[in-house]
Amino acid sequence: MDSNASVQTRRALLKSALVMASGAAVSACASRTIGTTLAAAPPPPRIQPAPVASLNPAPKVAAQARIVPAGIRPELFKRATAALDRHSMHVDTHDRIAIADFSLPSSQPRFFLVNMGTGEVEPLLVAHGIGSDPGHTGLLQRFSNQINSEATCEGAFLTADYYVGKHGDSQRLIGLDPTNNNALARAIVVHSAWYANPDMVSKHGKLGRSQGCFAVGERQLAKVFDRLGPGRLIYATKA
């Protein structure tokens, strides 16, 4: 081999070695950078205290889910599904929701358990708060988010954890909107009550009143817990 060929060969080998070394250095640097970035990243935000919110994408809803279910006002269903979309980062599961239509009197089933995949609806009786109906007319007169108001508040709620309280088995709710963000502090929950049983309607023409909670009949609570569970949406309004 002549001297020129030998020199060219050595230069090619040297260039190849430098390229390999440079690539290894970049890879090591990138590994350190990625490791540092992950270690320094803050944990994802979670809604407290219930361990039900996450940043995982919620299951997709079937196309027929957005067809207005029978028995629910179209505008109300539209607002409820808009709330579900708006709060999708906090609501883990989109397969079922509950809609409380407080434009209806307490003598009528107005708490709708909706299967978003099939459109099936299960309507139940639900009481409203004393502060929302001071004269006990059976109709909700106003909403309030104020502590000690004993009134029902409106907006989107996230179902949270279960506990046993003064009303027995209960489920905490987290208010997701400015109109109900005191729900947790006010202990606005789902529970059963004798004054929300169907016989109250036959005897008095209306249900009794809660202190702002979603009080359902004593025989209906298990169904509500089964259909909703933690991590789903309840939407309540009147308009």
Side-chain angles (χ1 to χ4, degrees), residues 13-224:
L13 290 174
L14 179 59
K15 181 178 181 181
S16 177
L18 287 173
V19 169
M20 293 177 64
S22 174
V26 169
S27 177
C29 180
S31 298
R32 288 195 298 272
T33 301
I34 293 172
T36 301
T37 301
L38 290 178
R46 297 181 68 85
I47 299 178
Q48 296 296 331
V52 294
S54 73
L55 296 182
N56 295 325
K60 292 183 178 180
V61 180
Q64 65 267 31
R66 297 304 167 93
I67 298 175
V68 179
I72 300 178
R73 292 185 289 121
E75 181 59 29
L76 175 58
F77 184 70
K78 181 179 179 180
R79 291 177 63 181
T81 53
L84 182 63
D85 293 338
R86 185 169 65 252
H87 298 295
S88 62
M89 294 295 286
H90 297 315
V91 181
D92 279 352
T93 312
H94 293 191
D95 59 346
R96 289 188 294 275
I97 65 173
I99 301 175
D101 185 355
F102 285 114
S103 70
L104 299 173
S106 65
S107 59
Q108 295 185 24
R110 54 183 181 172
F111 191 71
F112 303 99
L113 302 174
V114 183
N115 185 314
M116 296 291 283
T118 65
E120 180 184 1
V121 178
E122 297 174 89
L124 305 174
L125 295 170
V126 67
H128 55 249
I130 296 170
S132 290
D133 181 15
H136 200 184
T137 64
L139 286 167
L140 183 144
Q141 307 295 327
R142 68 183 186 92
F143 291 107
S144 178
N145 190 35
Q146 295 299 312
I147 293 175
N148 298 324
S149 68
E150 296 189 324
T152 299
C153 48
E154 69 176 328
F157 300 82
L158 177 68
T159 59
D161 59 312
Y162 301 108
Y163 71 102
V164 178
K166 66 179 181 179
H167 298 290
D169 294 337
S170 305
Q171 184 173 29
R172 291 185 177 91
L173 300 177
I174 299 170
L176 301 177
D177 292 322
T179 54
N180 66 357
N181 58 11
N182 285 328
L184 195 62
R186 294 179 58 204
I188 301 300
V189 303
V190 177
H191 66 77
S192 65
W194 60 268
Y195 57 77
N197 288 335
D199 66 341
M200 291 293 293
V201 176
S202 59
K203 292 178 181 177
H204 305 286
K206 57 194 172 187
L207 299 183
R209 297 164 296 171
S210 69
Q211 292 177 299
C213 295
F214 294 88
V216 299
E218 292 170 307
R219 294 186 179 181
Q220 302 302 321
L221 186 66
K223 177 184 288 188
V224 175

